[in-house]
Amino acid sequence: SRERTRVTDMSEQKRPLSRKGEVNAHSALTQEASLPAEPIDRVVNPIARFLHVESAGGVVLLLATAAALLLANSPVSEDFLSLWKTPVGFSVGAFEMRHSLKHWINDGLMVIFFFVVSLEVKRELILGELRELRVAALPIAAALGGMVAPAALYLAFQWGEAAQHGWGIPMATDIAFVVGCMALLGPRVPGSLRVLLLSLAIADDVGAILVIAIGYTAELSVTALAWTVLGIGLMMFLQRIGVRNLGIYVLLGVGIWFGFHESGVHATIAGVVLGLLTGVKPWVSQSLLIQFVQQLGGVLQGDSRHDTHQRQALLQSVETAVRKSISPMERLEAALHPWVSFVIMPLFAFANAGVPIAAGAFTDSVAMAIVVGLCVGKPVGIVLFSWFAVRTGLAKLPEGVSWGILAAGGVLAGIGFTMSLFIAGLALSEPLLLAAKIGILTGSVLSAVLGLALLLWLLPKPAQAGSAAA
């Protein structure tokens, strides 16, 4: 009898699981399975967690900015500022490409920044808050107002002056610093306000990209632009026929960047184009991945039908299927975001935020125009255009966000820093550029302080916020 029982138990183990049994087994595997721990994990894991805290990028950016300002106003100021003018490049035969170190950062590394921004925009348009026009109406209207009003105020101060071309400087919002400021307030910030400000910042990025492409493009080289269009067409063709080798796309991407760089269109537009061309759908569907995993389960449980070569081929197929079950857009964004937040943006700030501060710099007309644009134009434009969208029935205020809280968020959106510095470098030259940087730094600091103070005043206290959420 015991022998029959043992045989029955073994047959039950070999019997295919029912649907309910599969779910239970999957749940148990999900709860119990974990990768082996190593001593190095004690060092690596905290760093990995730090990299995934979105507010940490703002902290590193702030430290890089402070370091640049200190060095630019120290005894080593001349050496620090001349460092970024160091020529760097290469030559191949008669062809030579040599630019300053700052140029390589602003026109080279920042392409990766714009590529990640473009990926974020595409994700929001297809999968996120901006995919439905009704839901996206408020952040789009707010972003539009937050660009039009600051530009109008700037032009009111600088119309007919030498710095008139800098109208795009106060139009931008620095998403890293805005997220960092909201993180300081913790759970007091309602989720609806976070989503609204992040969606506004992303829509604002789209506007800034268009401003750079349209308003700050030099003379065009039709030949270089034609080669660029050809490269984009080739990339689309390769995607269409199913080429998935990342190395090929990287080489094509470098060629497209070079074409834009030589055409007169600002080279960072290459990052925007490449981001928009990146695939959204994974190559391997979830159902196909499940089939691979089920086959692998049979092999690991000792299915004798698979020999060594078949087992190795199946393991490699499962490895590829797992990687390809994540869309290229998600995979690239996850891989590049820490590099952008903790290397590229801080390096850009370190190279561009170093400004020798003179006694009368804060009262310069260019600096004042930018401060007014960021601190006054941003919140006024955001509130006015949002009010119009709500009044006409195109949008409605999110739950938990009053007009006062929206205005405070609009003040916080006046932190223009990274993109404002970038546009200032395109629009102005010395000494107007120095005054513009002073205005950007002053306006961004004032916007952060005022925005945080207003939100602290208007948002419910932590206990009240917790009871309201309950």
Side-chain angles (χ1 to χ4, degrees):
S1 175
R2 280 196 295 269
E3 183 65 23
R4 282 199 302 271
T5 302
R6 189 178 68 83
V7 171
T8 303
D9 290 342
M10 290 177 64
S11 65
E12 287 293 332
Q13 291 173 7
K14 292 182 179 179
R15 185 181 302 163
L17 289 171
S18 64
R19 189 67 185 164
K20 184 176 179 181
E22 287 180 2
V23 173
N24 292 336
H26 174 72
S27 300
L29 182 62
T30 303
Q31 293 173 2
E32 296 175 8
S34 60
L35 295 174
E38 300 290 348
I40 190 65
D41 293 337
R42 279 181 260 175
V43 178
V44 173
N45 288 342
I47 296 174
R49 286 194 295 271
F50 174 80
L51 292 177
H52 286 87
V53 176
E54 50 190 7
S55 59
V59 174
V60 178
L61 191 60
L62 181 61
L63 292 174
T65 305
L69 285 170
L70 286 173
L71 289 170
N73 293 275
S74 70
V76 297
S77 172
E78 189 174 342
D79 293 332
F80 175 72
L81 296 175
S82 63
L83 168 67
W84 307 111
K85 299 176 184 177
T86 306
V88 178
F90 62 92
S91 59
V92 179
F95 175 79
E96 183 178 20
M97 193 171 186
R98 196 171 299 276
H99 299 283
S100 68
L101 184 57
K102 181 187 284 189
H103 181 91
W104 284 111
I105 294 170
N106 292 357
D107 287 46
L109 285 181
M110 286 297 283
V111 173
I112 302 174
F113 164 75
F114 278 93
F115 177 71
V116 173
V117 167
S118 184
L119 291 177
E120 291 175 351
V121 169
K122 187 170 185 178
R123 187 194 67 233
E124 289 296 318
L125 288 173
I126 296 176
L127 305 172
E129 291 293 321
L130 301 180
R131 71 184 185 279
E132 296 180 14
L133 185 59
R134 174 79 177 173
V135 178
L138 187 62
I140 289 175
L144 187 60
M147 290 186 288
V148 171
L153 281 176
Y154 180 91
L155 286 174
F157 278 84
Q158 293 298 317
W159 188 262
E161 302 293 332
Q164 177 182 321
H165 197 48
W167 52 269
I169 297 172
M171 295 174 67
T173 295
D174 192 303
I175 191 170
F177 275 136
V178 171
V179 169
C181 287
M182 286 193 292
L184 292 176
L185 299 175
R188 292 184 62 179
V189 179
S192 52
L193 180 62
R194 291 178 188 273
V195 171
L196 175 61
L197 286 180
L198 290 176
S199 301
L200 182 155
I202 289 170
D204 191 281
D205 284 339
V206 176
I209 289 165
L210 292 175
V211 166
I212 292 169
I214 298 170
Y216 298 105
T217 294
E219 296 181 4
L220 288 176
S221 167
V222 178
T223 304
L225 199 58
W227 280 107
T228 304
V229 173
L230 183 64
I232 293 171
L234 178 58
M235 180 172 285
M236 295 174 69
F237 173 74
L238 292 176
Q239 288 178 328
R240 187 75 174 174
I241 63 175
V243 175
R244 295 181 180 88
N245 188 302
L246 182 61
I248 293 175
Y249 290 113
V250 170
L251 287 175
L252 263 178
V254 172
I256 290 170
W257 168 83
F258 179 75
F260 274 119
H261 185 275
E262 299 301 309
S263 70
V265 178
H266 199 269
T268 50
I269 300 300
V272 178
V273 172
L274 294 172
L276 294 177
L277 287 176
T278 302
V280 178
K281 295 182 179 180
W283 178 40
V284 175
S285 65
Q286 188 172 356
S287 59
L288 182 58
L289 180 61
I290 290 172
Q291 292 179 26
F292 273 111
V293 172
Q294 288 174 341
Q295 290 181 36
L296 180 62
V299 171
L300 295 178
Q301 289 174 12
D303 192 336
S304 59
R305 292 175 299 173
H306 294 83
D307 60 21
T308 305
H309 288 295
Q310 287 178 314
R311 181 183 297 230
Q312 183 179 0
L314 180 58
L315 285 170
Q316 289 175 340
S317 297
V318 171
E319 180 188 8
T320 303
V322 169
R323 269 189 293 111
K324 299 299 184 180
S325 65
I326 304 173
S327 70
M329 179 185 69
E330 293 176 291
R331 192 164 64 250
L332 287 170
E333 188 177 357
L336 293 175
H337 193 271
W339 287 99
V340 168
S341 297
F342 298 99
V343 178
I344 294 174
M345 288 178 66
L347 185 58
F348 170 82
F350 194 55
N352 288 272
V355 184
I357 299 175
F362 296 97
T363 58
D364 186 275
S365 63
V366 176
M368 292 297 294
I370 293 172
V371 170
V372 172
L374 290 174
C375 296
V376 179
K378 272 287 181 182
V380 169
I382 287 171
V383 171
L384 282 180
F385 276 60
S386 298
W387 177 86
F388 180 78
V390 171
R391 186 74 174 178
T392 55
L394 293 173
K396 65 176 183 178
L397 281 179
E399 187 177 352
V401 177
S402 64
W403 286 109
I405 292 175
L406 178 63
V411 173
L412 202 62
I415 306 174
F417 195 68
T418 305
M419 195 70 78
S420 294
L421 285 174
F422 190 84
I423 295 175
L426 299 177
L428 304 175
S429 55
E430 306 292 356
L432 296 175
L433 180 57
L434 287 177
K437 289 181 178 181
I438 293 291
I440 292 166
L441 295 171
T442 305
S444 296
V445 170
L446 288 176
S447 294
V449 172
L450 291 173
L452 284 172
L454 287 171
L455 286 173
L456 281 170
W457 179 43
L458 294 170
L459 289 173
K461 301 295 185 289
Q464 297 173 359
S467 61

